[in-house]
Structure formats: structure tokens, C-alpha cells
Amino acid sequence: RLTEEASATKAEKKQVEKSAEELEKSLKAEVAAIDNQFNGLAREYDRLDLRARNIANYVRALDQEIATLINQRTQLQAEQNLPPSGTGNDPKKPGTPKAQTPSSTNTQQILVINATIDIKNRDRLRYQAEYDRMEIQARDVQRQGTALLSRRQSLINDYQTTTGKLYKEKESLAAKEKFLERRKQEASKPATGSTGQVKALGQT
């Protein structure tokens, strides 16, 4: 009976060890898959971040160009509104020359500047829309990465909890195995005259 019980305990202990090995193997495979996905997300985030920073630089450059064009237009408009050079500018006085009409050159330049500002504003809106899209995609990638890291940590926590239980079970079975081995050794010893019954019979 002790031999059978010891064999069963040994087999149970081996099964616990096998379960621990399979659990570790499964964990490594799942963690490796998660790490691979996370690395892919990290590369995608870096790509989106680089693109977003480039777009932000384009937008800043366009803002500077638009501001420069607006200043040029303001200067040209101010030149058009200057009073004409002459002896005076009071229209009530006789002999005062009439105000000069804006030069066609300034007018043409202003029209060109306005058209250029419109083009650059459209470009700016297009880049801004793309920048907003990059930000949305980057936030989505971040959410996916956070979920993967949470899943990874959850797997590790579950593994540690399960292996802790398996370790305790293995320790208990090992102790039981040693105990049964001692019982087997004791049971296999031949009978001697040192027992109480034998002494009593001898006295009798």
C-alpha cells in the first residue's frame, strides 16, 4: 500500500512539474507575441510622430510666409493712400493738385499677394487637417499599446499566482514523498524482539 501510494505521489509530483513547464512555455509564447505587436505599434507611433512634427514645421513656415505677405500687402496699400507730392493738398484751395490714383503696379502686386495668401491658406488648412488626422491615429496607437502592456502584465501576474500555487503543491508532494519513503523503509524492516508485544510474550 505504501509503495502504491508513493508511486502515485511521485506521478502527481511529475504532473505538477510538467504543468509548470507547460505554463512557462505558454507564457513565453504569449509574451513574445505581445512584445512583437507592441514593437510594431511603437514603430507606427514613431512614424506618425515624425510625420506630425514635419507637418507642424510646414504649418509654422506657412504662417511665417503668410505674415510676410500680409505685411507686404499692408505696405503697398499704405503707399497707395499716401498724399501726392506738390505744393499742397487742400482741395478747397485753388491750384491744389488732385490726389493721384493708385499705381497699376501696386494694384497688380496686391492682387498677386492676395491670390498667393489664398493658396497658402488652403495649403495650411490641408496640412492642419492632416496633422489632426495624424494625432488621432497616434492616440489610437497609444491606446492599443497601453492595452497590450496591461494584457502582458496581467499574464505575468496570473503566471506568478499559478506557479506559486504549483510550487507549494510540489513542495507538499515532495514532503509527502519523503514521508512515505521513510514509512516504506520502516515497514520493510524484519520483525525483532524489541517490540512491547514480544517482550510481554517473552515474560509470559
Side-chain angles (χ1 to χ4, degrees):
R1 181 183 60 81
L2 289 172
T3 299
E4 291 176 357
E5 191 173 353
S7 297
T9 301
K10 187 175 182 179
E12 191 175 354
K13 180 185 171 185
K14 286 184 177 180
Q15 183 59 44
V16 169
E17 293 173 347
K18 183 179 179 182
S19 297
E21 290 175 359
E22 291 176 350
L23 185 64
E24 182 179 2
K25 184 178 179 181
S26 175
L27 173 74
K28 287 181 177 179
E30 290 188 71
V31 168
I34 289 175
D35 289 344
N36 186 50
Q37 293 179 45
F38 184 83
N39 291 335
L41 289 174
R43 289 191 296 271
E44 176 66 9
Y45 181 84
D46 289 342
R47 184 189 70 81
L48 292 170
D49 182 62
L50 178 61
R51 178 60 180 162
R53 283 189 280 114
N54 288 336
I55 292 173
N57 291 334
Y58 295 154
V59 170
R60 281 193 293 269
L62 284 171
D63 287 341
Q64 292 175 358
E65 292 177 12
I66 291 171
T68 300
L69 289 169
I70 290 174
N71 289 335
Q72 292 176 0
R73 182 179 64 186
T74 302
Q75 185 177 355
L76 290 171
Q77 290 172 341
E79 290 176 359
Q80 287 181 340
N81 295 328
L82 286 175
S85 58
T87 57
N89 57 2
D90 188 351
K92 296 179 181 179
K93 294 181 180 180
T96 300
K98 294 182 179 179
Q100 295 179 354
T101 58
S103 66
S104 60
T105 302
N106 280 11
T107 302
Q108 186 65 28
Q109 288 178 341
I110 290 173
L111 292 174
V112 171
I113 288 174
N114 286 337
T116 305
I117 290 175
D118 288 341
I119 292 172
K120 291 190 179 297
N121 276 327
R122 286 196 294 271
D123 288 342
R124 191 190 187 286
L125 288 174
R126 180 169 57 83
Y127 279 124
Q128 185 64 49
E130 187 175 357
Y131 179 84
D132 294 341
R133 183 168 59 84
M134 293 294 106
E135 275 202 327
I136 292 172
Q137 291 181 3
R139 286 196 295 269
D140 184 59
V141 169
Q142 280 184 321
R143 283 194 294 269
Q144 294 180 52
T146 301
L148 280 176
L149 289 179
S150 178
R151 171 64 179 160
R152 188 182 193 278
Q153 189 58 48
S154 178
L155 285 172
I156 292 174
N157 292 341
D158 291 344
Y159 171 78
Q160 291 175 341
T161 300
T162 305
T163 51
K165 292 178 180 178
L166 290 174
Y167 177 78
K168 290 180 180 179
E169 187 176 354
K170 179 184 175 182
E171 290 288 303
S172 175
L173 290 170
K176 182 178 179 181
E177 191 176 23
K178 290 180 180 179
F179 171 75
L180 291 173
E181 187 63 28
R182 288 197 301 270
R183 292 289 305 277
K184 282 173 59 181
Q185 291 176 0
E186 292 173 359
S188 63
K189 291 179 181 179
T192 65
S194 60
T195 64
Q197 285 183 320
V198 172
K199 289 180 180 179
L201 287 172
Q203 291 175 358
T204 301

